[in-house]
Amino acid sequence: MTGNGRFGIHGGQYIPETLMNAVIELEEAYNRYKDDPVFNQELTELFNDYAGRPSRLYYAKRMTEDLGGAKIYFKREDLNHTGAHKINNVLGQALLAKKMGKTRLIAETGAGQHGVATATAAALFGMECVVFMGEEDTKRQALNVYRMKLLGADVVPVTTGTATLKDAVSQAMREWTARISDTHYCLGSVMGPHPFPTIVRDFQAVISKEIKEQMRQAEGKLPDAVIACVGGGSNAIGSFYHFINDLEVKLIGCEAAGRGIDTFETAATINTGRLGIFHGMKSYFCQDKYGQIAPVYSISAGLDYPGIGPEHAYLHDIGRAEYVAVTDEEAVNAFEYVARMEGIIVAIESAHALAYAMNYSKVLSADQCVVVTVSGRGDKDCASVARYRGEEIGE
Amino acid sequence: MSRIRNAFSGKKAFIPFITCGDPDLSTTEEIVLAAAEAGADLIELGIPFSDPTAEGPVIMAADERALKNGVTTDQIFELVKRLRSRLDIPLVFMTYANVVYSYGSERFLENAAQAGIDGLILPDVPYEEKEEFHALCQQYELDLISMIAPTSENRIARIASEAEGFLYIVSSLGVTGMRADISTDIGSMVKLVRENTDIPCAVGFGISSPEQAAAMAEISDGAIVGSAIVSMIGTYGKDAAGPVSEFIRSLADAVHAVKG
């Protein structure tokens, strides 16, 4: 990363002047605390005692045998408290916000996992919490809305635009410009203006740090590939980060293709988008020829975002990571397959990574290993997968 | 003297904001001509954006209406050409970085300059990011207009010393939209600006009445009104030019009555 939070040409701070001192203050606070032993000890305790880290690296034996290729390992972020990787970032940011004297957290959420994690941290730290969620998503993820309210958060349905994740981000940014002094915007992914992509990555990097140690113990070597799903890209960058300099480890991000990258109902940013500036950053975005942001689609509310974090855009540019597109159909098939084969109901987001891993592992040999990050658990997705299969169930 | 500086010469300036293509481009054309006739000294033309993160509900809705009607940046350049053939007052674009960047920043500025645009306001491009746009603005002789906000504090001197055209003072925290009270100490912001530059300052965000506009012009060099006008266009649709020009006349008269 270079000055002003650039990853190659990507990143930056494209935000209203009103927010500039807030992000500068955040960057200064982060630089002050990130190497502070007390801060890090507190965070490690929260990770371990509260969130249940380190998360398990699980050898998916039945799946491996069934597919007949490389050994498949799951990095079980779904086993974290609140059921997803989101808690890693949120505990870090909430602790930082507390140190900065903030008393109120605001957040956007798509699938609701980040909203639930933020509401959880707010409860734990005794902070106020407001979560912005696209109205469409509040319907798709009604259970998570209830969980957030139970945890004491206000959930504000966002009705503008496509009423999904991008609109929730926009609304959270608007709210932040209106109330800055006591409020920290707990951004949920490696996106937005600098320093968010760096802060969120650093808090999520615990995933790849653990994978590395766990693979050394399990196999005595590095994995041949690390595969993760990508919306904004926080679980993916967390899974990739400590392997970026290990060039023999292939890094694969799985975008949501929705109904296919040759349709308009897709959220595959690298595969269908082009360079742009939005939500505080320069990166790749799904947009029309005049730069209007496209109304993206995926069955997964968490991947239903028209952009991608700037560090991923950079890893794509330099060819260090590969970004592939996975359709709704492939993801749902993997969701069902993994449930039956391993007894694990994964988040529909993570099912995108598993779908790709199922095909990819087959072309590798039995002495090779792939690690797939199971970013979250799939309880929240059962109703929408059932609907996808033509079955209505009560939530 | 640039057209923009001229708009502030010897008087306080009144600056309306109008979203292009809301409800359609021919109505926008009528409204802009009527606004100039009613005493507007400079007009901000909004190029609609799908996700305007600095706007409140009124301008968001206008952007949505315009885009739904299929308005494009190219059509807006054509509109500006038609306006420019009949108007001498400065016209500035207000839009978001992606509208410019995605079009090709250089091609955008070249077309804007050819159409007769005098300046550009990009609310999501702060001081730190302005250079990639500023260099091209200079090349095509447009002013890149800077903003300062109630939170700018230690940044004001730096922003002001490099400001051009006029300096847009954001009156309040939050997004655009009408406000009953403006509690920010704008006088002291203007004072800080004055220590660093002599370019004019105009206050915007939250101003909706002739009284507020006059009060803001009293402590600066002009007042900007957006949401209150756009809201009226939303109500009157294709018939907006008449009532909007009356409203603009009341705002412009109130601002012009303030002694320079």
Side-chain angles (χ1 to χ4, degrees):
Chain A
M1 197 190 72
T2 54
N4 266 4
R6 292 282 171 176
F7 302 92
I9 63 165
H10 305 285
Q13 295 179 304
Y14 299 89
I15 49 171
E17 170 60 23
T18 307
L19 288 177
M20 277 308 299
N21 266 329
V23 297
I24 290 167
E25 185 198 1
L26 177 62
E27 182 180 8
E28 285 168 358
Y30 183 61
N31 287 338
R32 188 158 64 244
Y33 286 111
K34 69 176 180 185
D35 299 317
D36 176 65
V38 177
F39 179 87
N40 281 297
Q41 193 191 330
E42 280 178 70
L43 185 59
T44 301
E45 279 170 17
L46 285 165
F47 274 1
N48 296 352
D49 303 339
Y50 188 70
R53 302 209 69 87
S55 72
R56 298 303 172 113
L57 186 75
Y58 166 74
Y59 169 44
K61 185 159 176 282
R62 290 197 70 219
M63 206 171 136
T64 299
E65 285 170 4
D66 184 56
L67 296 167
K71 287 177 90 168
I72 300 172
Y73 283 88
F74 291 176
K75 178 59 173 167
R76 299 288 309 274
E77 292 299 301
D78 59 316
L79 295 178
N80 296 341
H81 179 46
T82 72
H85 69 290
K86 294 291 188 186
I87 194 76
N88 306 330
N89 166 45
V90 162
L91 289 173
Q93 283 198 51
L95 188 62
L96 184 61
K98 189 101 186 166
K99 303 265 180 209
M100 292 170 74
K102 306 284 178 182
T103 56
R104 181 172 175 260
L105 297 178
I106 59 171
E108 83 295 341
T109 197
Q113 296 303 100
H114 176 59
V116 168
T118 307
T120 299
L124 179 67
F125 287 96
M127 297 165 96
E128 246 185 281
C129 182
V130 181
V131 179
F132 295 87
M133 185 171 189
E135 192 177 43
E136 192 59 35
D137 294 333
T138 62
K139 290 179 198 154
R140 288 197 277 194
Q141 304 289 350
L143 181 61
N144 273 342
V145 174
Y146 187 77
R147 291 168 77 197
M148 287 183 264
K149 289 180 177 169
L150 197 60
L151 291 159
D154 282 333
V155 180
V156 180
V158 178
T159 55
T160 49
T162 53
T164 60
L165 179 54
K166 83 169 162 80
D167 308 288
V169 174
S170 296
Q171 207 51 39
M173 284 183 169
R174 291 186 186 107
E175 171 64 20
W176 203 25
T177 62
R179 191 166 161 187
I180 299 170
S181 61
D182 67 345
T183 299
H184 173 69
Y185 178 16
C186 187
L187 227 166
S189 193
V190 282
M191 47 157 293
H194 175 68
F196 284 106
T198 299
I199 291 181
V200 179
R201 177 204 64 204
D202 289 352
F203 290 141
Q204 292 293 1
V206 66
I207 301 173
S208 50
K209 188 166 169 256
E210 289 176 5
I211 293 174
K212 214 169 196 175
E213 288 163 13
Q214 290 164 326
M215 275 301 290
R216 197 172 291 135
Q217 282 175 16
E219 296 284 341
K221 62 176 185 179
L222 296 175
D224 294 280
V226 177
I227 303 175
C229 63
V230 182
S234 71
N235 95 79
I237 210 76
S239 303
F240 294 171
Y241 186 66
H242 287 283
F243 295 109
I244 289 175
N245 294 326
D246 300 315
L247 297 180
E248 66 274 33
V249 180
K250 215 164 149 48
L251 306 175
I252 303 170
C254 302
E255 301 189 317
R259 295 192 220 282
I261 54 171
D262 50 353
T263 74
F264 287 108
E265 292 177 290
T266 181
T269 308
I270 295 272
N271 283 276
T272 68
R274 59 190 178 85
L275 265 178
I277 296 171
F278 183 49
H279 278 162
M281 58 184 172
K282 187 177 280 182
S283 186
Y284 294 103
F285 296 95
C286 300
Q287 55 186 311
D288 74 6
K289 73 180 263 219
Y290 290 105
Q292 307 297 343
I293 303 303
V296 293
Y297 163 82
S298 159
I299 189 174
S300 147
L303 303 181
D304 197 359
Y305 183 71
I308 188 167
E311 191 162 8
H312 285 295
Y314 174 65
L315 292 176
H316 166 74
D317 284 357
I318 62 169
R320 177 63 191 96
E322 185 187 354
Y323 295 86
V324 299
V326 175
T327 63
D328 285 358
E329 179 67 20
E330 293 167 310
V332 168
N333 286 340
F335 180 89
E336 293 168 340
Y337 174 84
V338 175
R340 283 195 309 271
M341 196 58 72
E342 294 292 345
I344 298 171
I345 298 172
V346 302
I348 193 68
E349 289 79 18
S350 321
H352 287 72
L354 285 155
Y356 189 79
M358 285 163 62
N359 288 325
Y360 184 74
S361 66
K362 284 187 213 162
V363 304
L364 302 183
S365 58
D367 60 348
Q368 292 181 293
C369 301
V370 302
V371 175
V372 189
T373 299
V374 177
S375 55
R377 68 178 184 224
D379 315 44
K380 66 183 178 58
D381 299 307
C382 290
S384 65
V385 170
R387 201 171 307 131
Y388 183 85
R389 291 301 192 207
E391 194 181 332
E392 280 300 327
I393 57 170
E395 297 226 26
Chain B
M1 188 183 288
S2 79
R3 248 198 226 121
I4 292 180
R5 288 297 288 267
N6 205 30
F8 291 85
S9 150
K11 61 174 185 303
K12 304 283 184 173
F14 174 65
I15 304 172
F17 167 90
I18 292 154
T19 304
C20 294
D22 171 34
D24 56 45
L25 287 164
S26 61
T27 308
T28 304
E29 190 170 345
E30 269 181 64
I31 295 171
V32 173
L33 293 172
E37 206 275 323
D41 299 292
L42 182 160
I43 296 177
E44 283 182 19
L45 296 172
I47 303 179
F49 181 50
S50 53
D51 300 81
T53 47
E55 311 297 346
V58 170
I59 294 175
M60 274 162 76
D63 282 8
E64 216 164 290
R65 287 193 295 270
L67 290 172
K68 218 171 180 178
N69 293 337
V71 68
T72 67
T73 309
D74 285 320
Q75 291 168 357
I76 292 169
F77 287 137
E78 292 306 311
L79 166 75
V80 173
K81 279 184 202 161
R82 293 196 296 276
L83 290 170
R84 184 43 81 213
S85 69
R86 300 176 62 181
L87 291 180
D88 272 332
I89 58 168
L91 300 172
V92 307
F93 274 148
M94 176 145 177
T95 191
Y96 286 78
N98 203 45
V99 170
V100 177
Y101 184 75
S102 175
Y103 192 90
S105 301
E106 171 143 25
R107 193 163 71 96
F108 181 97
L109 286 160
E110 188 181 358
N111 290 354
Q114 271 174 12
I117 286 288
D118 300 286
L120 182 63
I121 307 174
L122 298 172
D124 58 346
V125 176
Y127 178 87
E128 279 74 0
E129 301 295 352
K130 78 180 167 111
E131 203 39 49
E132 69 178 291
F133 297 100
H134 182 244
L136 290 165
C137 283
Q138 275 192 315
Q139 191 183 329
Y140 292 98
E141 298 181 346
L142 267 74
D143 288 330
L144 182 63
I145 288 149
S146 301
M147 302 175 107
I148 59 172
T151 49
S152 295
E153 297 166 1
N154 56 342
R155 301 167 51 78
I156 292 178
R158 201 168 359 135
I159 295 169
S161 65
E162 293 181 27
E164 50 192 40
F166 71 92
L167 196 63
Y168 192 132
I169 300 187
V170 175
S171 74
S172 318
L173 292 180
V175 292
T176 56
M178 298 164 265
R179 288 172 173 82
D181 300 305
I182 293 170
S183 56
T184 309
D185 182 3
I186 290 162
S188 57
M189 287 167 78
V190 174
K191 190 166 163 273
L192 265 171
V193 171
R194 284 281 166 272
E195 288 167 12
N196 293 279
T197 177
D198 63 350
I199 76 156
C201 302
V203 181
F205 279 43
I207 305 172
S208 60
S209 68
E211 295 72 33
Q212 277 179 319
M216 290 301 128
E218 194 83 49
I219 49 176
S220 69
D221 304 302
I224 305 165
V225 174
S227 294
I229 292 169
V230 172
S231 165
M232 207 171 211
I233 297 170
T235 305
Y236 289 94
K238 290 181 199 300
D239 304 319
V244 166
S245 72
E246 261 175 63
F247 181 47
I248 287 178
R249 191 180 306 280
S250 69
L251 292 160
D253 286 352
V255 168
H256 293 152
V258 177
K259 294 276 169 287

